[in-house]
Amino acid sequence: MNKVVKIAIYIALLISVTSLSHAMRMGEWGMVMNENLEQLPQGCDAVAGEMDVTIKAGREYAKEFPGTIFGYSQHEFDFPKCTRVNVTFINEDDIRHQFMIHGLPTYLHPQGMFHLELYGNGETSGTFITPNTEETYLAHCDLAQHMEKGMKAQVKVGGGNGNLPSIPGISGQLNKDDYELDLSIENTLLMLVLFILGFSSCLFCFFWFKK
Ligand SMILES: [Cu+2]
Protein backbone atom coordinates (compact mmCIF):
# COMPACT_ATOMS: atom_id res chain seq x y z
CA MET A 1 0.00 0.00 0.00
CA ASN A 2 1.14 3.48 -0.86
CA LYS A 3 2.51 5.42 2.13
CA VAL A 4 0.22 8.39 1.41
CA VAL A 5 -2.86 6.12 1.39
CA LYS A 6 -1.76 4.57 4.68
CA ILE A 7 -1.34 7.99 6.28
CA ALA A 8 -4.75 9.08 4.90
CA ILE A 9 -6.43 5.99 6.39
CA TYR A 10 -4.68 6.59 9.71
CA ILE A 11 -5.85 10.23 9.83
CA ALA A 12 -9.41 9.22 8.87
CA LEU A 13 -9.43 6.63 11.66
CA LEU A 14 -8.08 9.15 14.13
CA ILE A 15 -10.76 11.70 13.17
CA SER A 16 -13.60 9.17 13.47
CA VAL A 17 -12.33 7.99 16.88
CA THR A 18 -12.06 11.58 18.14
CA SER A 19 -15.53 12.47 16.88
CA LEU A 20 -16.93 9.30 18.47
CA SER A 21 -15.29 10.05 21.77
CA HIS A 22 -16.81 13.52 21.58
CA ALA A 23 -20.28 12.01 21.16
CA MET A 24 -19.70 9.44 23.85
CA ARG A 25 -17.76 9.35 27.09
CA MET A 26 -17.77 6.23 29.18
CA GLY A 27 -16.01 4.50 32.00
CA GLU A 28 -16.63 2.18 34.91
CA TRP A 29 -18.76 4.98 36.39
CA GLY A 30 -21.28 5.16 33.54
CA MET A 31 -21.63 7.08 30.30
CA VAL A 32 -22.60 10.31 28.59
CA MET A 33 -23.95 9.89 25.07
CA ASN A 34 -24.88 12.28 22.26
CA GLU A 35 -23.77 15.47 23.91
CA ASN A 36 -23.95 18.69 21.93
CA LEU A 37 -21.85 21.62 23.11
CA GLU A 38 -21.45 23.64 19.96
CA GLN A 39 -23.72 22.76 17.06
CA LEU A 40 -26.61 25.17 16.61
CA PRO A 41 -30.10 23.69 16.20
CA GLN A 42 -31.92 24.73 13.01
CA GLY A 43 -33.52 28.15 13.36
CA CYS A 44 -31.17 29.30 16.13
CA ASP A 45 -28.95 32.24 15.08
CA ALA A 46 -26.77 31.90 18.16
CA VAL A 47 -26.74 30.28 21.58
CA ALA A 48 -29.28 32.45 23.37
CA GLY A 49 -28.03 31.70 26.86
CA GLU A 50 -26.53 29.21 29.23
CA MET A 51 -28.19 27.30 32.07
CA ASP A 52 -26.97 24.88 34.71
CA VAL A 53 -29.31 22.28 36.10
CA THR A 54 -28.76 19.52 38.66
CA ILE A 55 -30.86 16.38 38.52
CA LYS A 56 -30.70 13.90 41.37
CA ALA A 57 -31.97 10.36 41.00
CA GLY A 58 -32.89 7.96 43.75
CA ARG A 59 -35.43 6.12 45.87
CA GLU A 60 -35.50 9.09 48.24
CA TYR A 61 -37.44 11.14 45.66
CA ALA A 62 -40.20 8.54 45.35
CA LYS A 63 -41.40 8.95 48.94
CA GLU A 64 -43.52 11.96 48.03
CA PHE A 65 -45.45 10.06 45.34
CA PRO A 66 -47.48 7.01 46.43
CA GLY A 67 -47.07 4.04 44.13
CA THR A 68 -43.58 4.99 42.94
CA ILE A 69 -40.25 3.44 43.92
CA PHE A 70 -37.75 5.60 42.04
CA GLY A 71 -37.75 9.28 41.28
CA TYR A 72 -35.93 12.41 40.23
CA SER A 73 -35.43 15.43 42.46
CA GLN A 74 -37.45 17.36 39.87
CA HIS A 75 -39.99 15.99 37.41
CA GLU A 76 -40.39 19.05 35.23
CA PHE A 77 -37.82 21.31 33.59
CA ASP A 78 -38.40 24.56 31.76
CA PHE A 79 -35.77 25.73 29.32
CA PRO A 80 -35.84 28.58 26.82
CA LYS A 81 -35.16 27.86 23.14
CA CYS A 82 -31.62 27.75 21.70
CA THR A 83 -30.10 27.58 25.19
CA ARG A 84 -27.03 25.63 26.19
CA VAL A 85 -28.00 23.48 29.17
CA ASN A 86 -25.28 21.97 31.35
CA VAL A 87 -26.83 19.01 33.13
CA THR A 88 -25.27 17.61 36.29
CA PHE A 89 -26.66 14.18 37.02
CA ILE A 90 -26.29 12.72 40.52
CA ASN A 91 -27.26 9.16 41.36
CA GLU A 92 -27.92 8.69 45.06
CA ASP A 93 -28.82 5.01 44.78
CA ASP A 94 -26.45 2.08 44.63
CA ILE A 95 -28.04 0.82 41.40
CA ARG A 96 -27.92 1.98 37.80
CA HIS A 97 -29.95 5.03 36.75
CA GLN A 98 -30.22 7.15 33.64
CA PHE A 99 -31.47 10.54 32.61
CA MET A 100 -32.39 10.28 28.95
CA ILE A 101 -34.11 12.99 26.95
CA HIS A 102 -35.98 11.75 23.86
CA GLY A 103 -37.28 13.34 20.67
CA LEU A 104 -34.50 15.90 20.20
CA PRO A 105 -33.45 16.76 16.61
CA THR A 106 -31.78 13.69 15.10
CA TYR A 107 -29.27 15.79 13.12
CA LEU A 108 -27.83 16.79 16.52
CA HIS A 109 -28.49 13.68 18.60
CA PRO A 110 -28.48 10.17 17.11
CA GLN A 111 -31.95 8.62 17.64
CA GLY A 112 -33.00 12.01 19.05
CA MET A 113 -31.52 11.07 22.38
CA PHE A 114 -29.31 12.80 24.95
CA HIS A 115 -28.24 10.28 27.55
CA LEU A 116 -26.58 10.43 30.98
CA GLU A 117 -26.05 7.21 32.90
CA LEU A 118 -24.46 6.21 36.21
CA TYR A 119 -23.91 2.58 37.17
CA GLY A 120 -24.25 3.42 40.85
CA ASN A 121 -23.81 6.22 43.33
CA GLY A 122 -21.96 9.06 41.63
CA GLU A 123 -22.04 12.19 39.54
CA THR A 124 -21.52 13.13 35.92
CA SER A 125 -22.42 15.96 33.60
CA GLY A 126 -23.28 16.60 29.99
CA THR A 127 -24.43 19.41 27.75
CA PHE A 128 -27.07 19.89 25.08
CA ILE A 129 -28.55 22.87 23.25
CA THR A 130 -32.32 23.22 23.33
CA PRO A 131 -33.95 23.26 19.89
CA ASN A 132 -35.89 26.15 18.43
CA THR A 133 -39.24 24.58 19.31
CA GLU A 134 -42.16 24.84 21.67
CA GLU A 135 -42.29 21.25 22.69
CA THR A 136 -42.45 18.99 25.74
CA TYR A 137 -39.84 16.24 25.66
CA LEU A 138 -39.83 13.01 27.62
CA ALA A 139 -36.97 12.35 30.02
CA HIS A 140 -36.73 9.03 31.80
CA CYS A 141 -34.65 6.14 33.05
CA ASP A 142 -34.85 3.35 30.50
CA LEU A 143 -33.95 0.48 32.82
CA ALA A 144 -36.68 -2.13 33.15
CA GLN A 145 -39.60 -0.80 35.21
CA HIS A 146 -37.77 2.33 36.40
CA MET A 147 -39.94 4.70 34.36
CA GLU A 148 -43.13 2.88 35.34
CA LYS A 149 -41.97 3.12 38.97
CA GLY A 150 -41.60 6.90 38.82
CA MET A 151 -38.40 7.84 36.98
CA LYS A 152 -40.13 9.98 34.44
CA ALA A 153 -39.91 13.72 33.84
CA GLN A 154 -40.85 16.27 31.22
CA VAL A 155 -38.58 18.83 29.64
CA LYS A 156 -40.43 21.86 28.32
CA VAL A 157 -38.62 23.92 25.72
CA GLY A 158 -40.01 27.34 24.83
CA GLY A 159 -42.94 26.73 27.19
CA GLY A 160 -43.61 23.26 25.84
CA ASN A 161 -46.80 21.94 24.25
CA GLY A 162 -48.69 20.52 27.19
CA ASN A 163 -48.05 17.85 29.79
CA LEU A 164 -47.02 14.26 29.17
CA PRO A 165 -49.08 11.51 30.85
CA SER A 166 -48.20 10.06 34.28
CA ILE A 167 -45.47 12.47 35.32
CA PRO A 168 -45.21 12.18 39.13
CA GLY A 169 -46.76 15.21 40.79
CA ILE A 170 -47.84 16.72 37.49
CA SER A 171 -50.14 14.43 35.56
CA GLY A 172 -51.06 11.88 38.20
CA GLN A 173 -50.40 8.25 38.87
CA LEU A 174 -49.85 5.68 36.14
CA ASN A 175 -52.64 3.38 37.30
CA LYS A 176 -55.08 5.49 39.19
CA ASP A 177 -57.16 3.46 41.61
CA ASP A 178 -60.81 3.83 40.77
CA TYR A 179 -62.99 3.77 43.86
CA GLU A 180 -65.74 5.93 42.49
CA LEU A 181 -69.34 4.68 42.48
CA ASP A 182 -70.58 3.78 38.99
CA LEU A 183 -73.95 5.53 38.70
CA SER A 184 -74.78 4.71 35.09
CA ILE A 185 -78.40 3.64 34.35
CA GLU A 186 -77.44 -0.01 33.75
CA ASN A 187 -75.48 -0.16 36.96
CA THR A 188 -78.22 1.57 39.01
CA LEU A 189 -80.87 -0.84 37.62
CA LEU A 190 -78.61 -3.80 38.38
CA MET A 191 -78.09 -2.60 41.95
CA LEU A 192 -81.88 -2.13 42.33
CA VAL A 193 -82.64 -5.65 41.02
CA LEU A 194 -79.98 -7.14 43.33
CA PHE A 195 -81.42 -5.20 46.26
CA ILE A 196 -85.00 -6.42 45.54
CA LEU A 197 -83.78 -10.01 45.12
CA GLY A 198 -81.81 -9.83 48.36
CA PHE A 199 -84.64 -8.21 50.27
CA SER A 200 -87.30 -10.66 49.03
CA SER A 201 -85.10 -13.66 49.83
CA CYS A 202 -84.70 -12.28 53.37
CA LEU A 203 -88.48 -11.90 53.67
CA PHE A 204 -88.96 -15.43 52.31
CA CYS A 205 -86.52 -16.89 54.84
CA PHE A 206 -88.09 -14.90 57.65
CA PHE A 207 -91.63 -16.23 56.96
CA TRP A 208 -90.44 -19.73 56.15
CA PHE A 209 -88.62 -20.13 59.47
CA LYS A 210 -91.49 -18.48 61.34
CA LYS A 211 -93.92 -21.21 60.21
CU1 LIG B 1 -33.20 4.00 36.95
Side-chain angles (χ1 to χ4, degrees):
M1 209 186 285
N2 188 313
K3 226 181 199 173
V4 180
V5 177
K6 273 186 190 169
I7 291 170
I9 291 174
Y10 176 73
I11 290 172
L13 269 173
L14 207 67
I15 289 171
S16 58
V17 167
T18 350
S19 63
L20 252 180
S21 63
H22 172 76
M24 184 167 171
R25 282 184 277 128
M26 64 186 300
E28 70 275 15
W29 48 273
M31 65 175 104
V32 175
M33 246 161 53
N34 306 342
E35 231 186 337
N36 174 34
L37 289 94
E38 309 269 318
Q39 228 180 311
L40 280 178
Q42 280 167 13
C44 298
D45 300 325
V47 172
E50 189 127 358
M51 275 179 90
D52 296 323
V53 64
T54 300
I55 296 148
K56 294 178 187 171
R59 290 186 186 89
E60 186 61 34
Y61 304 104
K63 286 181 182 165
E64 215 183 309
F65 307 104
T68 65
I69 294 176
F70 304 114
Y72 293 125
S73 50
Q74 205 177 321
H75 292 95
E76 181 174 77
F77 302 88
D78 259 296
F79 301 131
K81 301 171 183 182
C82 308
T83 299
R84 186 184 286 124
V85 182
N86 305 308
V87 182
T88 300
F89 181 50
I90 299 171
N91 183 357
E92 294 182 351
D93 281 347
D94 46 10
I95 56 162
R96 209 167 139 197
H97 284 310
Q98 306 165 329
F99 185 78
M100 268 163 106
I101 306 178
H102 286 272
L104 294 169
T106 48
Y107 57 87
L108 295 173
H109 305 270
Q111 287 129 36
M113 202 172 77
F114 169 55
H115 177 156
L116 298 161
E117 177 164 349
L118 289 163
Y119 298 148
N121 201 295
E123 180 177 333
T124 190
S125 52
T127 300
F128 76 106
I129 301 173
T130 57
N132 183 31
T133 52
E134 284 153 21
E135 213 174 313
T136 307
Y137 297 92
L138 166 72
H140 73 144
C141 176
D142 199 29
L143 292 170
Q145 288 295 312
H146 285 206
M147 175 168 78
E148 289 74 8
K149 300 266 159 60
M151 265 197 174
K152 189 173 181 184
Q154 61 185 14
V155 175
K156 287 183 170 174
V157 174
N161 60 345
N163 289 331
L164 297 179
S166 62
I167 303 290
I170 291 160
S171 41
Q173 270 173 259
L174 253 187
N175 302 306
K176 205 173 172 233
D177 298 324
D178 189 8
Y179 295 123
E180 266 170 54
L181 200 59
D182 181 3
L183 285 177
S184 61
I185 294 174
E186 310 93 81
N187 208 50
T188 314
L189 278 175
L190 185 71
M191 284 197 287
L192 201 68
V193 169
L194 284 173
F195 175 74
I196 292 168
L197 271 175
F199 188 70
S200 48
S201 64
C202 275
L203 275 180
F204 174 79
C205 288
F206 178 73
F207 287 113
W208 194 53
F209 279 111
K210 217 184 156 195
K211 260 188 203 171

